[in-house]
Amino acid sequence: FKLYGHMQLDAIYDFKRVDPTWESTLRPSTIPIEEGQYGDDGVTVVSVKQTQQGFRGSLPTPMGDAKFWFEYDFFGTGSDAGDTKFNLRHAWAEIGGLGFGQTNSNFMDISIFPNVVDWWGPSGMAFNRNPQVRYTWLMEGSELAVALEKPNGSFNTGIFGDESPEFDAAARAKTPLPDLTAHWRNEFEWGHYQVAGVIRKLEFETLGTDNNRPKDDELGWGVNLTGVIKTIGRDQLKLGLVYGEGIASFFNDGGVNLAPENNEAKAVEVMGITAYYDHYWNREWSTSIGWSTNNADTTNQQADFEFDTSQYASVNLLWTPYPALLIGSEFLWGNLENVAGEDEDDYRLQFTFKHKFGVSF
């Protein structure tokens, strides 16, 4: 049994302004297109939301060792978004190849998350912690994993919602089936690659109408190609390419799964790219630099203000005088473009102080 965690303080200066609910991190989808929507430019944010605690352990059972993992931070999401409140990250158990609970989606590859101190991270990578049941077959240097995951539906009414607020309020995404995900991963001395896929059922219906019409359904699918290449010393090149239809909810930020096109629901096509380089100057100093984009092929009946494309880039300088302590600064840039082709940038500077702790029993 091991108890672990870290205390973290983030001091951020945002040269522009984002939705104040998400001001403790950079999500390009929260950048306002209309200047002054959230106030005048320039704001200081001080946060302990990334403070984290967890435990891991194992115990013998008639079926072999059972492993468990529980972890949380204080970055409120959902109805607690914007607050410093409990946020469950992992609640996971494994017995042999069988795993169940909540953890990183089987469709994503956490290995390509760069050495950044911003909480949200690159907008164009697949990143979703999901309740799921998974089975993993381990082989020499490789693994195959298949999972059924909690579906995450989303539907935007587009121009019809603008014309009819009643329809906008009544239209709801429906998730009749779990998502089916799988990945194949190969490990080598030079690094690894992973190929992942997802198939999902997407629907929407209109509440309070005859037979809940209008309603429609579509098949969503996606492919996620990722890899880490070891270069010089401890340096790593981290790459990801995600493509599919109706998989926006797997992305780290932005977009919608279903939207109207030619008076029917369409699974929105989307592509994400992530490219980061983690460089270690020596045992104490490191830098992570990179760029990411989330590009949706929006439909012809989406509203002008809806998400189209985001970009995210960052560079940092981190000092780790001993393994448990990290002090660093990070410069971030984000850009949001909407369906109408309007776009806006955000720039921010973040200073982070972090100290880890851990004890085993």
Side-chain angles (χ1 to χ4, degrees):
F1 182 89
K2 180 178 181 180
L3 178 68
Y4 66 91
H6 62 253
M7 306 301 176
Q8 182 164 336
L9 175 76
D10 297 316
I12 300 164
Y13 184 77
D14 194 337
F15 291 87
K16 298 273 184 120
R17 296 291 285 275
V18 299
D19 182 342
T21 303
W22 298 101
E23 63 185 6
S24 298
T25 189
L26 178 57
R27 295 183 61 188
S29 66
T30 68
I31 299 172
I33 297 296
E34 181 182 345
E35 188 171 350
Q37 180 178 347
Y38 300 122
D40 292 338
D41 290 347
V43 64
T44 294
V45 180
V46 181
S47 167
V48 294
K49 294 177 181 178
Q50 290 202 68
T51 294
Q52 186 182 121
Q53 188 172 17
F55 61 80
R56 290 177 179 264
S58 65
L59 69 156
T61 77
M63 298 177 61
D65 284 350
K67 301 176 183 178
F68 50 88
W69 181 18
F70 185 83
E71 184 178 288
Y72 61 92
D73 61 24
F74 297 92
F75 215 107
T77 58
S79 61
D80 292 327
D83 296 331
T84 306
K85 288 189 176 181
F86 176 90
N87 175 50
L88 179 65
R89 296 164 61 90
H90 303 277
W92 186 248
E94 289 182 1
I95 305 174
L98 177 66
F100 53 90
Q102 175 174 302
T103 193
N104 299 326
S105 170
N106 196 40
F107 182 63
M108 66 177 276
D109 182 358
I110 190 62
S111 305
I112 72 163
F113 196 88
N115 189 28
V116 298
V117 292
D118 176 46
W119 187 74
W120 208 269
S123 61
M125 71 174 287
F127 195 143
N128 191 14
R129 297 188 186 99
N130 239 358
Q132 62 191 276
V133 57
R134 180 191 303 182
Y135 198 89
T136 304
W137 292 267
L138 295 176
M139 292 150 271
E140 187 175 354
S142 60
E143 70 175 34
L144 172 66
V146 178
L148 292 175
E149 303 193 23
K150 174 188 174 182
N152 294 287
S154 59
F155 171 70
N156 281 5
T157 55
I159 60 175
F160 303 106
D162 277 351
E163 296 172 358
S164 172
E166 294 80 10
F167 173 57
D168 188 58
R172 292 285 188 276
K174 182 183 177 185
T175 53
L177 298 171
D179 295 339
L180 174 62
T181 61
H183 78 240
W184 171 263
R185 182 184 181 101
N186 266 348
E187 300 276 356
F188 304 93
E189 289 186 3
W190 54 263
H192 83 272
Y193 74 85
Q194 180 172 302
V195 181
V198 59
I199 297 176
R200 63 195 329 200
K201 178 76 167 178
L202 302 169
E203 296 186 9
F204 93 94
E205 59 187 354
T206 308
L207 305 184
T209 63
D210 184 26
N211 200 23
N212 292 330
R213 292 183 179 277
K215 59 176 148 181
D216 206 349
D217 64 89
E218 277 274 272
L219 179 70
W221 63 272
V223 177
N224 188 17
L225 308 176
T226 56
V228 173
I229 300 172
K230 300 175 184 177
T231 58
I232 302 170
R234 298 163 57 198
D235 289 10
Q236 294 184 338
L237 176 64
K238 299 180 174 181
L239 302 169
L241 173 64
V242 194
Y243 178 78
E245 296 180 354
I247 60 167
S249 55
F250 278 99
F251 275 70
N252 213 3
D253 185 42
V256 63
N257 295 327
L258 277 179
E261 180 170 84
N262 300 325
N263 300 323
E264 297 179 343
K266 182 181 185 297
V268 179
E269 184 179 347
V270 64
M271 179 179 68
I273 300 171
T274 300
Y276 262 82
Y277 191 81
D278 290 347
H279 173 63
Y280 294 85
W281 302 98
N282 51 43
R283 294 180 63 181
E284 295 185 1
W285 294 89
S286 66
T287 293
S288 183
I289 184 170
W291 166 85
S292 183
T293 184
N294 178 348
N295 190 339
D297 185 9
T298 54
T299 69
N300 58 20
Q301 290 179 327
Q302 286 189 249
D304 285 348
F305 63 84
E306 291 185 50
F307 177 97
D308 186 327
T309 303
S310 71
Q311 296 186 75
Y312 174 104
S314 64
V315 60
N316 62 29
L317 181 63
L318 307 179
W319 179 45
T320 310
Y322 56 93
L325 177 63
L326 181 147
I327 300 173
S329 61
E330 186 164 87
F331 179 75
L332 300 107
W333 166 77
N335 174 269
L336 172 65
E337 181 179 339
N338 64 18
V339 171
E342 303 168 312
D343 75 298
E344 189 57 62
D345 299 309
D346 185 43
Y347 306 90
R348 53 176 45 202
L349 188 61
Q350 176 169 334
F351 297 92
T352 292
F353 303 83
K354 172 180 173 181
H355 201 292
K356 300 177 182 178
F357 63 86
V359 60
S360 298
F361 300 93

